[in-house]
Every structure is written in C-alpha cells, then in structure tokens.
Amino acid sequence: MQYPFEFHCVNDKAINAFALPGGYVFINRGAIEVADNEAQLAGVMAHELSHVALRHGTNQATKAEAAEGFLGIASGVLGDSAGGALLTRLGAFAAGGVLLRYSRSAESQADILGTQVLYDSGYDPRAMAQFFEKLEAETKGKNPPEFFSDHPSPEHRVERVDEEIEKLGGLPPNLKRDSVEFEAIKREVLALPVAKKLKPGAAGTAGVPALPSGNFATYQAKAYTVKYPDNWKKFPDTQGSGVSFAPEGGVVDDGSGHGALAYGLIINVAEARGEAEDWDALSSATQQVIQELQKANPNMKVTRPSEHVRLNGQPGLATYLSNDSPVGGQETDWVVSAMRPEGLIYFVCVAPQSSYDKYDKTFNAILDSVRFAK
Ligand SMILES: [Zn+2]
C-alpha cells in the first residue's frame, strides 16, 4: 500500500490539520504555531497520515461544509505555486465531497499507527498524544480547536499510546524532540501575514466577475485538450486529470470564510469503467457522480433529466441541476459527462441562474473545443 503523500501548509490560524484519501495532508499554520516542538508537529502529521493509510476517508459520511472548506483553503495556502494546484483539487474535491468527521475508534487506530510511525522515525512517540492533551487542557471549556470537531478525542488516549510504546519495547534512546530548524520555521510562520479572507461576492455589482472573453486559451491535460476564455484563470490539480477555470471573482466566500466556485468550470475524472459507446455504463457512472455532488451540496437538484449529447464525437450525457449559489439565490450546474479509458470525465459548468444565459454560449464553446487524446 503505497501512498504518494503530499504535505501542504495552509495559512489559517485555526489549530487544525487534515488528510484526504489519496495521501494529501494539510497542516494549518495554527498547528505549527501552537506545537511546543518538532516531535509534536511530527505527531500531528503521523496521526493524519495514519488516517489515510488506514483508509478512514473512503467510506464515511460526507460533510458539505468540509468540502467547501477545502475549496476555501486555496486562498490560504502558503506559497504561490501550490495555490493554483490546490484550488482545483478543491473544486474537484467540492465535487467529490469526502471530508469527514472520524469516529472515536478511528481516532484510536490513528493514534496507535501514528505512535508507531513516530517511534520508527526516532521521534518521541509520546509527543502526538501530548500535543492533543495540551490542546484540550488549554481550551477546557472554551472554543475547542477546529481539530477536535473532525477528530473527537478517544477515551484514555495517553494510556493507549503508552501501552503501544510498551509493546514496541519501551521508549527508545536518543529521542528526537526538537530542532533548530523547527524553531526557525515556527518563528517564520508566526511572522507571516494572515491570509486575506476571500471577498464575499454578495449580490450587487461589486462582486460580479467580468463576462467571459470571446478569446480562448488552450489547456492541455494528459487525456484531453480544452479551450477556455483567456480572462479566466486555470487551476490544474497535481495529478493532471482535474482542473478548474474561474474568472477573477468567480470564487467567493460562502459566508463562513470558506471559498466556493460561483462562476466557472470544474473538470474532473471519476473512477468508472466502460466502453465509450456503452450508454448504460455512461448513465450509471454519471448517476453516481451526481449523487456524490449532491452529498457535498445537499440542496442540489436535477432540474432536467440527462440528455444524450456528443462530446468530441463520442456519446455524452448532459444534465442540468440547480443548487444554492454562494453569491445568493440559485445557481445552474450543467454537468456533461463521457466515458474515457481513464474513467468518467465530467465537466461541471457553474453560474448563478440569473446570469446563466450570459455564460451558456461560453460553456457550449468550451465543451465543443474538447479533444480527447487518441
Ligand atoms: Zn484523527
């Protein structure tokens, strides 16, 4: 079981960290700032990657705000190169909606595996549980850190960890606890400017993005090329299959400090198998994707049953949905899907219902421009 773990630091003061199925681990600056030493930070990371390795993310109930929260992180990611890449995964993620609240037994398992990871890497294996205990003690009775809303504390956390350390043969000699590098990084993080919250694009003209340009730029992914208005920004994900496009102002605050795509397009590939011409496979894979979208967006409804279309000459399905728009009112989501060797590719075209007419032509032009790799 090999995961290509990726760690990202998020410019968010909330004490939190989280992991996504697939091996993406996010650490808020708040967690770095509050850690007493490197071993505690390593402990949080070990705990998060244990959730991934134990596949805690794959089967649980989804959480809409969490998915949107993920989209919101984009604006706060430290470092500009990661920002673009993330937003998209975020988009894709909002679509898939997989963030979750772990159960107490999952927490215990992540503690045990996390302790083993710390032990094997030479860190003080007690540091993880100590960090969680410290957070709890410091916030007793008042605002518990965000972390505990996703990771409820298991019973007897410290005792369980101590038992595990005994099983591993007791505390190893020469434990790593802290380093000059960690202290330097912590100082650097503490001095960082706080990320600007996304501007709410509230109703009214202030937040309304410029209309899509009639000039198109080309985006080349491994499996397809697509053209998009040259005044939109592209946010490819790091795996090369998913990408989002949005105009300036197209991603807005959903009201809770989290970002959401109000105008633009998300392209993603979902796991599915079937021949390009197999309408049944296309239809059932599309249904599944729509259900996933609805899980992440509880008010999303199909407004027109799927219609047969052609996408680069091959069978496709087009489905209209409505959903709450993050800029208020309703939005239209036009989902167009087709079966490809790498899975079900789907395009989610998003605009507020009131201005959808102004985007319709652009969305059609984008979909007409799709060319699949041979
Ligand atoms: Zn956990």
Side-chain angles (χ1 to χ4, degrees):
M1 173 174 61
Q2 292 288 325
Y3 280 96
F5 282 110
E6 255 182 46
F7 295 91
H8 296 274
C9 185
V10 183
N11 193 352
D12 185 337
K13 287 268 190 189
I15 299 167
N16 206 354
F18 53 96
L20 301 177
Y24 302 91
V25 179
F26 297 84
I27 316 281
N28 281 4
R29 70 183 283 181
I32 299 173
E33 290 170 347
V34 80
D36 289 331
N37 54 50
E38 184 172 316
Q40 288 189 356
L41 181 65
V44 178
M45 291 163 76
H47 178 97
E48 291 297 334
L49 58 87
S50 297
H51 279 305
V52 176
L54 293 162
R55 296 178 181 270
H56 288 156
T58 45
N59 282 317
Q60 297 205 23
T62 59
K63 201 174 147 194
E65 325 80 80
E68 284 165 313
F70 192 36
L71 186 59
I73 290 160
S75 66
V77 171
L78 303 177
D80 47 350
S81 63
L86 269 175
L87 175 55
T88 331
R89 170 177 315 293
L90 304 191
F93 189 65
V98 274
L99 264 202
L100 26 94
R101 187 173 198 276
Y102 299 109
S103 66
R104 284 200 159 74
S105 74
E107 280 308 299
S108 250
Q109 290 168 20
D111 277 358
I112 300 290
L113 184 57
T115 301
Q116 293 166 358
V117 169
L118 281 184
Y119 190 97
D120 289 343
S121 51
Y123 284 108
D124 184 339
R126 297 165 301 186
M128 177 193 60
Q130 280 168 356
F131 181 68
F132 296 148
E133 290 286 305
K134 164 192 136 107
L135 287 188
E136 238 170 358
E138 282 176 7
T139 56
K140 261 264 124 61
K142 39 178 209 230
N143 300 333
E146 232 174 74
F147 183 85
F148 291 120
S149 59
D150 297 331
H151 303 261
S153 294
E155 305 258 291
H156 311 298
R157 169 167 251 158
V158 171
E159 291 83 345
R160 300 283 282 275
V161 165
D162 287 344
E163 272 170 38
E164 184 58 28
I165 295 169
E166 279 313 306
K167 278 189 212 155
L168 292 167
L171 284 180
N174 307 320
L175 294 173
K176 243 188 286 176
R177 289 192 63 79
D178 209 359
S179 69
V180 180
E181 290 84 359
F182 175 74
E183 292 305 323
I185 282 167
K186 187 168 157 178
R187 276 194 303 275
E188 206 174 298
V189 167
L190 281 164
L192 275 175
V194 175
K196 264 188 272 164
K197 289 281 183 200
L198 292 164
K199 292 230 166 47
T205 51
V208 175
L211 287 174
S213 157
N215 297 321
F216 287 77
T218 302
Y219 177 75
Q220 171 102 47
K222 256 182 256 151
Y224 58 87
T225 61
V226 64
K227 293 190 158 71
Y228 64 98
D230 67 0
N231 64 341
W232 286 12
K233 283 190 197 151
K234 58 171 190 282
F235 305 98
D237 74 17
T238 49
Q239 295 175 320
S241 54
V243 61
S244 298
F245 301 97
E248 188 85 41
V251 177
V252 300
D253 195 319
D254 68 351
S256 64
H258 293 144
L261 187 88
Y263 299 82
L265 167 75
I266 297 166
I267 306 177
N268 203 5
V269 177
E271 232 171 89
R273 261 163 207 270
E275 295 297 317
E277 306 291 329
D278 183 346
W279 285 102
D280 289 340
L282 172 60
S283 169
S284 74
T286 301
Q287 284 316 311
Q288 206 161 353
V289 161
I290 288 173
Q291 280 166 18
E292 286 298 314
L293 288 168
Q294 288 176 319
K295 267 194 227 164
N297 301 274
N299 291 327
M300 186 179 257
K301 291 183 185 68
V302 174
T303 52
R304 219 192 284 174
S306 300
E307 291 162 4
H308 291 191
V309 293
R310 292 265 154 191
L311 196 60
N312 188 196
Q314 80 161 69
L317 281 179
T319 314
Y320 281 95
L321 301 106
S322 70
N323 188 25
D324 294 339
S325 171
V327 292
Q330 291 287 296
E331 71 182 17
T332 298
D333 301 309
W334 190 39
V335 178
V336 177
S337 52
M339 206 51 107
R340 297 296 304 162
E342 54 278 1
L344 182 82
I345 184 166
Y346 62 98
F347 301 75
V348 186
C349 304
V350 183
Q353 230 161 57
S354 55
S355 48
Y356 192 84
D357 280 355
K358 299 189 188 118
Y359 284 81
D360 195 33
K361 221 175 91 188
T362 302
F363 290 146
N364 275 287
I366 292 170
L367 289 165
D368 282 344
S369 76
V370 172
R371 295 292 174 269
F372 295 124
K374 290 282 175 316

